[in-house]
Structure formats: structure tokens, C-alpha cells
Amino acid sequence: MPGVWQRHPRYSLLVVVVLVTTLYLLVPIQQDSLASPLFTMSDNDLPSRMERANRIYNKVLEDRKGLIKKFGPTPKEIAVFPEDKAPWPPYTVWDFFPAAFNCPHEVERQGALGDGGKWVCGLSRVREKPNCVVYSFGINYESSFEAEILRNTHHCEIWGYDYSVNAFGPEIPSESKHRTHFKPYALGGEDKHDSEEKIPMYTLDTLLKMNGHEFIDILKIDIESWEFTTLSALIKPYLISGKPLPFGQLQIEIHLWHKSFDEILEWWEMLEEAGLRPFWTEPNLVYLNYNRDSRTSDLAEYSFINVKGNNIFIQDPPSPSHDDVEHD
């Protein structure tokens, strides 16, 4: 008997075409076939996402050099907020520091919309973490950020510090208060907390030792422009020693009051050298609205992830060994 191909050649050819097309579509697209090497569709594990994010951010670093050369050509010649006169330079200081690092996890706002809330990268990574530690500097009786962190995690404990108030804000849920710890201290670049000091000031390293901590998963800082001197004093010893910073991510409000561009650039590059990469930013429009005589938006919220070390946001935790599983 004649075969199917002989009896129905057109039908058989159609079947072959359908099979070949289906196999083609099911084969993962390889990186070499993509127009841009920055993106892959076959590799989406955490190391691959981190590698892509680093490549994208490195391009931004090169673009910054070009922007400085264009409007400078040196940092000392760049205005933080150029005056409105011809020829008008179309830039502000914030254009040099975009939040261009891709968080390798979900980005989610914790706390109130508007003033008080912060953007966090990968809160799911610490949702079940048994030793999750959060430090918050600058409370001012507004604790929606801290309250939502507590609601959305099972074990995170929060250490709050603010010398201008005597407690967290009213947003802290009563069922989670046992996971909060408050002291009326200020964060500083040096320890000044003897009996003669009106404002007890502690370094981050001292507070870590006092609390028995080695690492902070999430660090929030809002200390009204003291972030420049405080973070400089905190970070420089780690740069000298080569050790990674003792926190996984940083939510901070940056105040540019009385700062020149070259000062800001030097401070920012110190953050980058230490491993901090900005993944989110927003201007403080509340401040700008209530200072309408000012034409500069010199306050901005930034969120950074620490890409050095082995923190939970950039590396997967080791899988339990066979012995550990059997023991459990």
C-alpha cells in the first residue's frame, strides 16, 4: 500500500512544518542571538540578575563622566542647581546620580505614601529570616515604615533611635511591640555619650556591639544632613580594611544644604566604592511645597542595596545539608 506521504503529500508537508516551528519556539533563545548582551531570556537566577544589574550600572558610571565633562568640564565647575539665565544648562545635581541599579527582587514601599514611607528591595528575602535585624535612625513620631516592616515579616526586630522623641510613633501595632526597641540616641561619627552631653551620640559600630549584632539587614537613616559626616566616618574604616559594610540595604534621605557639587560627588563615590548601589529615588516634594520661595529640590529619598559581601539580598542562602534535613 502506498504510504501516507504518497497519498497526502500536502497534508504531510504541513505536519512537518508545524512540528519544526513548534520545536523552534520551544528552544530557549541563546544570548548570542540577542541584539543586546545586557538581557537574556534563558538565565534568570539571582547571580545572573546581579550580573546584568552591575553591567547596566557600570554604563551609568561612564555616562556620569561624560555629563561632568559636558557641563564642567571638572566637578568644581558644576553648579548643584544652575541659575536660570542664558545659556541655561538643562540639568540639576540629581541627574548625575540616578537610581539606576536594578533590584534583583521585588521593590515594595513600606510605610505611608508621601513622607515617612521607604522603598525596600526584596522584603520577601527576610520575611521568614529568624535573625532579621532592622535599625531605624530618625523617628519623629512617624513609624509607618517600621510598622509595615513588622506586619510583613515574622521575625524582624527593629531598633529605633531618635534623640528628639522618646518613643516610636503610634503606628506600631500592639501585637508587634515586643519586636521593637527604642533609645533616645543620635547617630554620629564618634561616640559622645557621657553625662555632660545633652545629646547622647553613638556610632553605628558601638550600637552593634551594645546590641550584640554583627549585621543589619535593613538600615534607615533620616538625620537632617548629618548623613554626610556620619556615613563618611562609618564607611571609611571599612574601605581601609576591605571588609563589607555591616548592612544589606540602606534607605536614606539626602539633604544637600550648603554642599558643593564636588563635595557631593566625592561622598557619593565613597558610597559606591563601599558597594552601595541606588535602586530607587524620589524627591521630597512635601519639603519643596512648603518652601515655595526656594526653586531647588535639595532633598531626595534614596534606597541602596549593598552588592559586597554575602548578604541575603544578593546571595541565596546555602541549602540545608542532607544531615541537617535528617536531623530536623
Side-chain angles (χ1 to χ4, degrees), residues 15-171:
V15 170
V16 171
V17 170
V18 171
L19 287 174
V20 171
T21 303
T22 302
L23 289 173
Y24 174 79
L25 293 175
L26 289 176
V27 173
I29 298 176
Q30 300 301 316
Q31 182 173 347
D32 293 341
S33 67
L34 298 176
S36 170
L38 293 179
F39 303 99
T40 64
M41 296 179 66
S42 58
D43 297 326
N44 198 36
D45 57 7
L46 181 54
S48 298
R49 296 197 303 272
M50 288 295 299
E51 194 274 336
R52 287 197 298 270
N54 281 316
R55 274 189 284 159
I56 292 170
Y57 194 77
N58 287 338
K59 180 183 181 300
V60 171
L61 297 182
E62 293 302 315
D63 291 344
R64 181 195 300 159
K65 293 177 184 178
L67 200 61
I68 291 174
K69 185 177 181 180
K70 176 181 179 180
F71 291 116
T74 69
K76 287 186 177 294
E77 297 169 290
I78 293 178
V80 176
F81 294 100
E83 296 181 5
D84 185 9
K85 61 182 181 180
W88 178 61
Y91 75 87
T92 74
V93 62
W94 302 117
D95 294 315
F96 295 83
F97 310 106
F101 192 85
N102 289 347
C103 162
H105 314 289
E106 80 284 354
V107 177
E108 187 177 5
R109 189 174 183 85
Q110 301 297 307
L113 295 175
D115 200 30
K118 309 291 181 183
W119 292 93
V120 175
C121 169
L123 188 67
S124 60
R125 303 287 288 184
V126 296
R127 195 179 312 278
E128 304 291 343
K129 190 170 182 277
N131 58 342
C132 171
V133 173
V134 179
Y135 276 34
S136 179
F137 293 94
I139 304 299
N140 196 26
Y141 285 125
E142 207 292 326
S143 296
S144 62
F145 168 76
E146 294 81 5
E148 200 151 1
I149 292 285
L150 292 169
R151 291 191 187 97
N152 292 330
T153 62
H154 293 160
H155 308 289
C156 287
E157 295 195 30
I158 300 179
W159 277 257
Y161 299 95
D162 190 330
Y163 69 90
S164 66
V165 298
N166 55 21
F168 282 104
E171 296 86 358

Side-chain angles (χ1 to χ4, degrees), residues 20 53 130 140 176 196 202 210 216 226 234 237 253 272 281 303 313:
V20 171
N140 196 26
S176 301
E196 297 181 358
Y202 291 79
M210 289 172 55
I216 302 166
W226 287 101
L234 164 66
E253 182 168 46
E272 291 174 328
T281 186
S303 295
F313 302 107

Side-chain angles (χ1 to χ4, degrees), residues 311-322:
N311 68 74
I312 191 69
F313 302 107
I314 63 171
Q315 288 190 10
D316 289 321
S319 300
S321 65
H322 180 69

